[in-house]
Amino acid sequence: MNVIRCDEEEYMVWKWRPEGQEVNSTSRENSIRYGSSLRVKDGEVAVFVYKQSNGAVQDFVEGPYDDTIKTANFPVLSSIVGLAFGGESPFQAEVYFINLAGNNQLRFAVPYFDVFDPRLPDHGVPMSVRGTITFNISDYKGFIKLNRLINFDHEQFLKQIKAALSKYVKGIVMNVPQEMGIPVVQMERQILNINNKVEEYLKPRLENDFGVNMKGLDISALEIDKESPYYGELRQLTAGNTARTMNAQTDVNIQNLKDTQRINAENMEETLRIQREEAQRAQRLQTETNFMGAHSLDQQTEVLKTGAQSLGQMGSMEMGSHGGGGMNPAGMMTGMMMGGAMGQQIAGMMNNMGQNMQQAMNTPPPMPNVQYHVSVNGAQAGPFNMQQLAQMAQSGQLTKQSYVWKQGMANWEFAGNVPELASLFAPPVPGSMPPPPPPPTV
C-alpha cells in the first residue's frame, strides 16, 4: 500500500508520485491502490484530481489528516473504485500538495539600473535593490485557477513575478531623488518610505494576478555602484553642500545662544532696577507716614494759637463796649468755654499723635522682595518671588534638587541646601489642611 504524503521543506505546489516513479515515466505514476494511507500535515492541503466522463474533478483534503483512502472519505471515488477494480486494483488520480504555511519567504534582487540626481540630470548612477517578500497561499482554490497544478517552487514563482517586481521597484526608486529632493548618495535614508510605496503597488498585483497573499515587503539594501564614474562627483557635491549647511546651522545656533544670553541679562538688569525703585518708594512712603502726625500737629497748633489770639481780642472788645475797665462776666464765660474746647482739642491732638507714633514704632518694615532664578532643564527661568516659589514647590515644579540662584550668591545651589527656602519643602502640619467634607445628608 502507498503512503501519500509530502516531505518537502520548501515548496508551493508539489506532485506526489509512488516511490520509484519518475515524471512521465509510466501511467503508474498516478496509480493509487485502494486502502492506501493519506497524511496531510497542518498547513497543507492535498488535491486529488480525477478524470471522469464530464471532465476533471478535484477533491480537497485540508490538514491535519491521517487516514486510509476509502469511498466513505471520498464520495467521488465511488464511481471509480468499485466492482470494476474489485476493491484492490489501483485507480488513476493525480495528487498535489499545496503549502499553506503562514510565512513563505522569497528573496529577490533587482540588478543595477540608473538613478539620476536632479542636480546632475545627465549623470546616471547604477543602483541595485535587494530584499525579501513574505507571503502565503490563503485561497488555494483561487490559486489553482490562476496557476496550473504542476510542481511549483519558490524559484519558479519568482520567475513569474520577476517582471512585475522589477517594474514597481524601478518605478519607485528612480523617482525618489526628484520627488523627495534628496541626493542619490543619501537615498537609503528614505528606505522606509521607498519600501512602503513599492509594497503599496506590488501587493494587489500579487493577490489578483498570482493568487498569493503578500504579508510584507522588506527592502534590505539600496546598493550604489561605487565604481561608477559619476559616483565620486556626486558624493563630493553632496558632501560639500552638507558641510556648508552644517556650518551655516552652527552659526545660526551660536547667534541664537548669544541673543538669548543678552536678552536674559537685560531682563535681569531691568528686574533688579524695578526692585530697587520699588524698595526706595516703599521706604519714602513709610518715612512720610511716620512724620505725617507731627506735621498735622504743627498745623493744628497754629490754628489754636490764632484762635486764642482771637479770643483775647474778643474779650477786650467786650470789655470796651461797656465803657469801662470793669469785669465782663459774659466775655469771661465765653473765653472759658472756648478755652476748654481748645484744651480738649489740643489734648485729642496730642493723644492721636502719640498713638500714631506708637503705631509707627510697632509697624514692621516692609518685607524684602526676595527673588530667585530657577534652572529648568538646563535653561534659566525667573526670577520668582517667595509666593511663586511656594506654588511651584506644591505643584512639584520646584524640588530640593532644583538649582536656584539669587543676587549675592556666588554659584547655583540646590534649593534644599538654601535655609531661606527650607520651609517650602517642610511637610504640612497636622490640622493645617481641612479634612474631607462630610457625606451629603439624605
Side-chain angles (χ1 to χ4, degrees):
M1 296 299 176
N2 295 314
V3 178
I4 303 174
R5 66 184 184 186
C6 176
D7 294 328
E8 297 293 318
E9 293 184 0
E10 292 188 2
Y11 71 98
M12 295 181 66
V13 180
W14 179 78
K15 185 179 185 299
W16 174 85
R17 298 176 182 82
E19 186 176 359
Q21 298 296 319
E22 301 297 332
V23 179
N24 298 325
S25 58
T26 65
S27 61
R28 292 186 58 191
E29 70 170 287
N30 298 326
S31 299
I32 302 174
R33 295 187 64 82
Y34 183 75
S36 297
S37 63
L38 173 65
R39 297 177 184 174
V40 185
K41 298 189 295 294
D42 189 17
E44 292 180 339
V45 61
V47 184
F48 284 72
V49 182
Y50 313 96
K51 291 182 180 179
Q52 291 187 335
S53 58
N54 58 347
V57 178
Q58 298 173 348
D59 268 349
F60 300 90
V61 181
E62 295 187 18
Y65 181 90
D66 191 353
D67 202 350
T68 56
I69 298 177
K70 303 174 183 177
T71 55
N73 300 332
F74 295 88
V76 72
L77 295 181
S78 60
S79 62
I80 299 177
V81 182
L83 297 178
F85 295 95
E88 297 180 358
S89 299
F91 60 91
Q92 299 294 312
E94 297 179 1
V95 183
Y96 297 90
F97 285 84
I98 300 178
N99 186 3
L100 303 180
N103 288 324
N104 285 288
Q105 288 194 328
L106 184 66
R107 295 180 179 84
F108 69 89
V110 179
Y112 285 118
F113 56 95
D114 285 343
V115 181
F116 297 88
D117 193 293
R119 297 168 300 174
L120 299 174
D122 297 330
H123 295 183
V125 178
M127 177 177 292
S128 66
V129 181
R130 291 187 292 107
T132 303
I133 297 176
T134 303
F135 67 96
N136 67 348
I137 302 174
S138 56
D139 181 11
Y140 52 83
K141 293 183 180 181
F143 179 79
I144 292 174
K145 291 181 181 180
L146 294 173
N147 302 276
R148 292 187 303 148
L149 277 174
I150 57 175
N151 280 351
F152 201 58
D153 57 20
H154 290 173
E155 292 300 324
Q156 292 171 311
F157 180 66
L158 180 58
K159 291 179 182 179
Q160 280 195 348
I161 68 171
K162 181 178 179 180
L165 177 63
S166 178
K167 178 179 68 175
Y168 293 129
V169 169
K170 290 181 179 179
I172 297 298
V173 173
M174 291 176 65
N175 289 288
V176 165
Q178 183 67 36
E179 293 181 355
M180 297 186 178
I182 63 173
V184 171
V185 296
Q186 295 181 352
M187 283 181 57
E188 278 201 311
R189 293 167 51 188
Q190 297 294 329
I191 193 169
L192 291 179
N193 291 332
I194 295 172
N195 190 97
N196 293 338
K197 285 191 174 183
V198 175
E199 183 175 359
E200 179 183 351
Y201 283 94
L202 187 60
K203 181 178 175 64
R205 180 70 186 278
L206 294 184
E207 293 177 353
N208 298 330
D209 295 349
F210 300 98
V212 299
N213 174 40
M214 192 179 92
K215 302 179 70 174
L217 172 71
D218 298 292
I219 295 178
S220 58
L222 302 173
E223 296 182 347
I224 297 179
D225 182 8
K226 296 183 179 180
E227 302 300 325
S228 169
Y230 299 130
Y231 171 77
E233 185 176 350
L234 271 178
R235 183 174 179 81
Q236 183 177 3
L237 178 62
T238 302
N241 289 341
T242 302
R244 287 190 292 271
T245 301
M246 292 178 62
N247 291 335
Q249 186 62 49
T250 300
D251 293 340
V252 171
N253 293 338
I254 293 175
Q255 186 60 42
N256 289 340
L257 180 60
K258 291 181 178 179
D259 292 341
T260 301
Q261 292 176 341
R262 176 181 54 79
I263 293 172
N264 290 338
E266 293 175 354
N267 290 341
M268 182 180 296
E269 182 179 357
E270 181 66 14
T271 300
L272 293 176
R273 183 189 64 78
I274 294 174
Q275 290 177 358
R276 288 194 301 269
E277 292 180 354
E278 291 295 327
Q280 294 171 358
R281 180 174 178 274
Q283 187 64 37
R284 287 196 303 270
L285 290 175
Q286 183 63 37
T287 302
E288 293 174 359
T289 302
N290 292 340
F291 288 96
M292 184 63 70
H295 178 69
S296 177
L297 180 60
D298 291 340
Q299 296 297 322
Q300 293 182 13
T301 301
E302 292 296 327
V303 172
L304 291 175
K305 288 170 61 178
T306 303
Q309 293 175 358
S310 300
L311 178 62
Q313 294 175 1
M314 181 182 66
S316 301
M317 291 174 62
E318 288 291 335
M319 292 175 64
S321 64
H322 287 83
M327 182 178 297
N328 185 354
M332 292 179 64
M333 291 298 295
T334 303
M336 291 175 65
M337 291 175 62
M338 293 186 64
M342 291 172 64
Q344 290 180 0
Q345 186 173 1
I346 293 173
M349 290 170 53
M350 295 298 292
N351 187 32
N352 290 336
M353 184 179 69
Q355 290 179 356
N356 291 335
M357 293 178 66
Q358 183 66 28
Q359 183 178 0
M361 293 174 64
N362 294 334
T363 301
M367 293 182 63
N369 189 9
V370 180
Q371 292 189 329
Y372 282 85
H373 294 265
V374 181
S375 176
V376 180
N377 295 327
Q380 177 180 309
F384 303 103
N385 57 33
M386 294 299 291
Q387 182 179 0
Q388 293 172 323
L389 293 175
Q391 295 175 352
M392 294 171 65
Q394 292 178 0
S395 64
Q397 295 177 332
L398 179 68
T399 65
K400 291 183 178 182
Q401 285 71 39
S402 300
Y403 278 103
V404 297
W405 179 88
K406 72 172 183 177
Q407 187 178 10
M409 293 175 61
N411 296 305
W412 291 82
E413 183 59 80
F414 286 121
N417 296 340
V418 179
E420 190 176 20
L421 304 180
S423 61
L424 301 180
F425 309 106
V429 179
S432 62
M433 298 297 292
T441 59
V442 179

